[in-house]
């Protein structure tokens, strides 16, 4: 997995190999002590493993590091991370970055029919009841505004073989429950757990925007200085109509491509090929700070610009490093 | 056929989870036998299990605040279920702060043990988590496969040293050999031995004490009149022993083993109301 760092506002983005999950963290300049924006469109792609390696063992870093400097050296093709520690010790990491493309998921939270907002702790405490080996979970709205989570059993798995776990949360555990009664979506638990552990540690409220099965679910965390988005593919509900749901998000679906990329968020992901960091200066950054909604027209424009192979809404289980 | 039970007391719940965790470490699938007063977890002697068998017995009254069961018939007031204890262990793992745990036998789509955990929440109502654990109901004609094993006619019965100590020794020996020799005599001495082409390691324990029951019990003829110094020994799969020592969470107040030379080693772990028996066959 790659991590993409982009100038302007500093943003970190990543997508899973199967493109079933996309995450973006956008930091306001005020998040930093000092922030000098790079040239427009400046970005780089570094290996997640080496990037994370620098920040391994956070408790130790918390004690020793006084300042951290991130420097994007476009000419040298390096991302420099400097940790200024106590006693005048400075640790410098030079991460070579790779040829880069813009990574952007096209989504619009305003077009989602259901919205659920609550403390991350509530959902974090809910997902611990599900086994670590479980791939997907179904979130649904029940009677009286109750929110349910239930194990999703793989297609073809014999009923009566696997343990099924179910949990209901009362609406008053959330700050806002504006969900379509009876609606439900199924998504990967692993990525959701990842976001929850971050959200719980920073005690930020989590908002889940979702629509019909097969449409992406968008999980957002809001903080004045930081905005996080996780976009997850959802499974098409085999029990409901097998037709793809109508496009309610301002995107029209081209016919299914002939290749194998039929799962994941292909149709929502516009991977704009742009050689290194030249050109494409005006590529629309999204998600934006405010106003929050990329208008449908903009979404369409990005789709055209993208030229990447669009896919169909996911209808299959996504195998993504589980 | 009906079964429902409820645990409210936290200490009972934790104790029960520890027993289930221990069983989950020892058996992938096992039989749960329910009677009016007792629960039994049984792993019967099958070649697929390497000939290992287990018998674990608990008094329901010491764990459950409510326990209602109605067997197959009035004259056979029992229920036999096959289940994966790991599922039960996972369901109880996140129930450590529960207000109540209810267990119920259901048959909605297929037979299940429904474990409903009531957890405290931030709102007025509590959170309810339910786990449907698939089970198979074992028909009456197969019940005879799950008879309580009789205490074998052993040559030596001896108290075990601290299981923690034994565990760390066995874990080290496991790196050197696949099988271990357990030998003991009636003078409270026990040795754990491994022998390979390049190395022999023996750990000696003494003053362990021999349980008195050998003399009380009529059937233990092999132990009577035996030379106090002579060792009875059995060579067993070291992994099976290590599994028992590493997996047990009952912290027994009494642990002992009975050795039948070259045939079987019978372990008994006792903790108040729980007894766990584990049989490891000797290797040829």
């Amino acid at each position: 997995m790659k991590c993409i760092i982009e100038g302007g506002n500093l943003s970190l983005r990543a997508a899973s190999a199967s493109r079933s999950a996309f995450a973006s963290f956008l930091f306001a300049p005020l998040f930093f002590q000092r922030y000098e924006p790079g040239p427009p469109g400046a970005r780089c792609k570094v290996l997640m493993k080496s990037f994370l390696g620098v920040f391994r063992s956070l408790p130790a870093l918390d004690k020793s590091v006084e300042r951290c400097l991130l420097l994007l050296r476009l000419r040298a093709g390096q991302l420099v991370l400097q940790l200024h520690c106590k006693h005048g010790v400075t640790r410098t990491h030079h991460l070579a970055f790779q040829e880069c493309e813009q990574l952007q998921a096209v989504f619009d939270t305003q077009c989602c029919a259901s919205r659920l907002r609550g403390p991350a702790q509530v959902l974090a405490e809910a997902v611990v009841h599900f086994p670590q080996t479980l791939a997907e979970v179904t979130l649904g709205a029940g009677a009286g505004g109750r929110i349910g989570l239930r194990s999703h059993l793989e297609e073809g798995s014999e009923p009566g073989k696997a343990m099924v776990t179910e949990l209901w949360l009362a609406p008053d555990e959330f700050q806002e429950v504006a969900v379509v009664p009876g609606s439900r979506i199924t998504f990967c638990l692993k990525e959701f757990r990842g976001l929850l552990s971050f959200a719980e540690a920073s005690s930020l409220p989590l908002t889940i925007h979702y629509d019909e099965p097969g449409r992406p679910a968008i999980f957002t965390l809001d903080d004045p200085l930081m905005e996080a988005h996780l976009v997850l593919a959802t499974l098409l509900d085999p029990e409901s109509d097998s037709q793809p749901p109508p496009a309610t998000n301002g995107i029209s679906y081209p016919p299914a491509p002939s290749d194998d990329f039929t799962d994941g968020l292909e149709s929502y992901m516009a991977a704009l090929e742009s050689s290194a960091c030249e050109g494409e200066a005006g590529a629309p950054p999204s998600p934006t700070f405010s106003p929050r909604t990329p208008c449908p027209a903009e979404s369409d424009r990005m789709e055209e610009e993208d030229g990447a192979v669009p896919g169909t809404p996911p209808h299959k289980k996504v195998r993504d490093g589980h | 056929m009906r079964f429902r039970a409820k645990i409210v007391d936290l200490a009972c719940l934790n104790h029960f989870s520890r027993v289930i965790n221990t069983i989950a470490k020892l058996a992938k699938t096992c039989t749960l036998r329910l009677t009016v007063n007792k629960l039994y977890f049984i792993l019967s002697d099958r070649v697929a299990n390497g000939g290992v068998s287990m018998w674990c017995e608990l008094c329901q009254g010491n764990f459950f605040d409510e326990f209602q069961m109605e067997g197959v018939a009035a004259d056979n007031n029992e229920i036999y279920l096959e289940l994966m204890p790991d599922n039960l262990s996972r369901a109880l793992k996140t129930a450590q702060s529960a207000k109540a745990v209810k267990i119920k036998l259901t048959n909605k789509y297929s037979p299940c043990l429904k474990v409903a955990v009531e957890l405290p929440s931030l709102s007025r109502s509590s959170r309810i988590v339910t786990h449907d654990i698939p089970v198979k109901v074992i028909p009456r004609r197969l019940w005879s496969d799950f008879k309580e094993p009789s205490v074998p006619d052993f040559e030596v019965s001896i108290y075990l040293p601290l299981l923690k100590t034994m565990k760390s020794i066995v874990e080290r020996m496991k790196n050197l050999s696949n099988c271990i020799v357990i030998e003991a005599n009636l003078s409270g001495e026990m040795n754990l031995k491994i022998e390979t082409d390049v190395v022999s390691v023996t750990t000696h324990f003494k003053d362990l004490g021999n349980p008195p029951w050998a003399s009380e019990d009529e059937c233990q003829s092999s132990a009577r009149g035996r030379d106090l110094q002579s060792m009875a020994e059995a060579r067993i799969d070291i992994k099976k022993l290590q599994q028992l020592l590493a997996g047990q969470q009952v912290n027994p107040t009494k642990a002992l083993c009975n050795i039948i030379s070259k045939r079987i080693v019978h372990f008994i772990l006792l903790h108040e109301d729980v007894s766990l028996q584990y049989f490891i066959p000797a290797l040829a």
Side-chain angles (χ1 to χ4, degrees):
Chain A
M1 202 193 270
K2 305 278 171 24
C3 164
I4 295 186
I5 298 179
E6 205 169 289
N9 290 321
L10 181 80
S11 90
L12 306 174
R13 295 170 192 183
S16 62
S18 61
R19 307 244 147 166
S20 62
F22 166 85
S24 129
F25 286 79
L26 185 64
F27 298 92
L30 271 174
F31 181 86
F32 304 94
Q33 268 177 4
R34 203 173 126 212
Y35 187 84
E36 285 174 18
R43 58 182 164 267
C44 73
K45 178 156 90 173
V46 290
L47 271 177
M48 192 70 94
K49 208 175 155 194
S50 32
F51 194 44
L52 284 177
V54 178
F55 298 100
R56 198 182 300 141
S57 139
L58 270 182
L61 289 184
D62 266 348
K63 272 184 212 151
S64 60
V65 177
E66 289 167 339
R67 266 181 317 133
C68 171
L69 178 72
L70 279 94
L71 208 59
L72 192 55
R73 287 206 180 125
L74 293 173
R75 292 244 169 74
Q78 275 185 341
L79 173 71
V80 181
L81 294 156
Q82 259 185 2
L83 302 176
H84 295 263
C85 309
K86 278 181 191 157
H87 313 299
V89 175
T90 304
R91 270 165 57 190
T92 309
H93 301 263
H94 298 270
L95 306 185
F97 60 74
Q98 297 174 343
E99 200 184 320
C100 187
E101 56 196 27
Q102 185 176 337
L103 181 69
Q104 182 56 58
V106 181
F107 56 85
D108 183 359
T109 54
Q110 298 294 306
C111 292
C112 289
S114 298
R115 192 169 64 246
L116 185 64
R117 184 179 163 82
Q121 195 200 351
V122 170
L123 287 159
E125 283 174 7
V127 295
V128 296
H129 298 286
F130 293 88
Q132 286 294 327
T133 49
L134 183 71
E136 284 119 0
V137 75
T138 301
L139 179 136
R146 290 196 309 158
I147 299 298
L149 285 170
R150 187 183 163 89
S151 320
H152 175 79
L153 299 184
E154 284 183 46
E155 263 175 71
S157 68
E158 241 180 279
K161 276 278 170 184
M163 178 164 79
V164 175
T165 299
E166 192 175 34
L167 167 136
W168 288 98
L169 297 165
D172 57 355
E173 297 220 53
F174 295 91
Q175 287 147 6
E176 184 189 3
V177 179
V179 293
V180 175
S183 61
R184 56 176 186 176
I185 49 161
T186 303
F187 51 86
C188 279
L189 195 50
K190 189 181 147 210
E191 285 84 2
F192 185 49
R193 278 199 166 109
L195 183 74
L196 283 176
S197 68
F198 174 83
E200 207 188 3
S202 43
S203 51
L204 293 174
L206 172 78
T207 311
I208 305 175
H209 305 266
Y210 69 89
D211 214 55
E212 295 173 46
R215 310 277 305 162
I218 304 138
F219 304 80
T220 60
L221 301 176
D222 279 316
D223 178 272
L225 298 177
M226 194 265 318
E227 190 173 286
H229 284 83
L230 173 69
V231 186
L232 286 184
T234 64
L235 293 190
L236 267 184
D237 196 344
E239 286 156 45
S240 72
D241 195 356
S242 58
Q243 293 293 312
T248 53
N249 222 354
I251 300 167
S252 57
Y253 294 101
S258 54
D259 67 9
D260 290 328
F261 284 100
T262 47
D263 52 11
L265 291 166
E266 272 308 304
S267 62
Y268 309 102
M269 199 77 82
L272 298 180
E273 290 289 344
S274 61
S275 57
C277 307
E278 271 77 57
E280 301 284 352
S286 168
T288 49
F289 259 94
S290 62
R292 300 266 310 278
T293 28
C295 60
E298 191 186 30
S299 306
D300 284 336
R301 191 164 64 84
M302 286 187 61
E303 282 287 76
E304 279 162 32
E305 209 172 51
D306 119 35
V309 185
T312 54
H315 65 281
K316 279 184 72 180
K317 191 179 142 50
V318 171
R319 297 260 171 219
D320 168 32
H322 295 299
Chain B
M1 205 161 52
R2 265 168 218 275
F3 169 66
R4 71 167 66 220
K6 188 175 174 184
I7 304 182
V8 177
D9 186 78
L10 263 189
C12 288
L13 179 60
N14 288 333
H15 189 19
F16 187 62
S17 328
R18 279 199 300 272
V19 173
I20 301 296
N21 291 344
T22 305
I23 287 157
K25 291 270 162 52
L26 294 176
K28 205 163 170 279
T29 56
C30 74
T31 302
L32 169 61
R33 174 184 165 204
L34 300 164
T35 66
V36 175
N37 294 315
K38 287 192 169 180
L39 293 92
Y40 303 84
F41 291 91
I42 306 161
L43 179 69
S44 65
D45 193 9
R46 276 183 225 153
V47 183
N49 301 320
V52 166
S53 48
M54 175 189 76
W55 181 269
C56 180
E57 195 174 319
L58 341 170
C59 287
Q60 60 89 355
N62 293 325
F63 291 92
F64 294 92
D65 297 272
E66 282 171 32
F67 193 91
Q68 297 166 21
M69 88 109 203
E70 230 171 77
V72 177
D75 55 333
N76 279 297
N77 198 13
E78 298 190 9
I79 299 173
Y80 281 71
L81 304 170
E82 186 183 294
L83 58 86
M84 290 166 73
D86 189 49
N87 282 334
L88 196 51
S89 154
R90 280 204 308 234
L92 295 172
K93 200 165 85 186
T94 54
Q96 297 311 309
S97 58
K99 291 197 216 164
V101 173
K102 287 182 198 161
I103 303 175
K104 191 180 166 191
L105 184 62
T106 63
N107 191 12
K108 200 171 172 192
Y109 302 109
S110 58
C112 277
L113 263 191
K114 190 187 262 300
V115 179
V117 182
E118 189 184 341
L119 292 158
S121 77
L122 303 174
S123 78
R124 274 165 286 122
S125 50
S126 32
R127 283 177 207 157
I128 309 280
V129 185
T130 58
H131 304 270
D132 283 325
I133 299 170
V135 294
K136 265 189 226 148
V137 178
I138 298 172
R140 236 188 296 185
R141 63 192 152 81
L142 298 177
W143 286 8
S144 57
D145 293 352
F146 306 99
K147 283 256 170 62
E148 173 162 16
S150 54
V151 174
D153 185 11
F154 52 78
E155 281 137 16
V156 168
S157 178
I158 191 162
Y159 288 117
L160 293 173
L162 266 184
L163 293 187
K164 230 194 234 169
T165 314
M166 216 170 137
K167 177 183 152 221
S168 63
I169 291 165
V170 170
E171 264 168 7
R172 276 161 188 77
M173 286 179 161
K174 196 175 132 241
N175 299 328
L176 300 170
S177 175
N178 293 327
C179 48
I180 187 168
V181 175
I182 296 191
E183 56 176 23
N185 63 18
L186 291 172
S187 310
E189 291 173 334
M190 184 177 90
N191 302 329
L192 298 177
K193 284 202 297 202
I194 53 161
E195 276 162 351
T196 69
D197 295 342
V198 287
V199 66
S200 299
V201 182
T202 307
T203 306
H204 303 268
F205 296 93
K206 49 183 189 179
D207 303 327
L208 294 173
N210 299 91
W213 70 343
S215 53
E216 293 162 14
D217 205 321
E218 285 295 309
C219 67
Q220 306 307 333
S221 50
S222 303
R224 254 184 297 147
R226 189 184 164 83
D227 173 13
L228 293 184
Q229 296 300 321
S230 95
M231 291 278 182
E233 63 157 62
R235 205 161 59 96
I236 57 172
D237 184 344
I238 198 163
K239 264 186 264 160
K240 297 274 187 300
L241 177 60
Q242 191 255 344
Q243 217 176 13
L244 173 69
L245 296 169
Q248 75 82 20
Q249 292 184 19
V250 284
N251 302 317
T253 43
K254 258 186 204 162
L256 53 110
C257 88
N258 301 326
I259 302 174
I260 303 119
S261 270
K262 302 194 167 51
R263 273 191 47 218
I264 209 162
V265 185
H266 171 211
F267 293 90
I268 305 175
L269 310 185
L270 297 170
H271 177 96
E272 292 169 27
D273 37 23
V274 183
S275 78
L276 175 74
Q277 298 183 61
Y278 197 64
F279 299 81
I280 306 180
L283 298 169

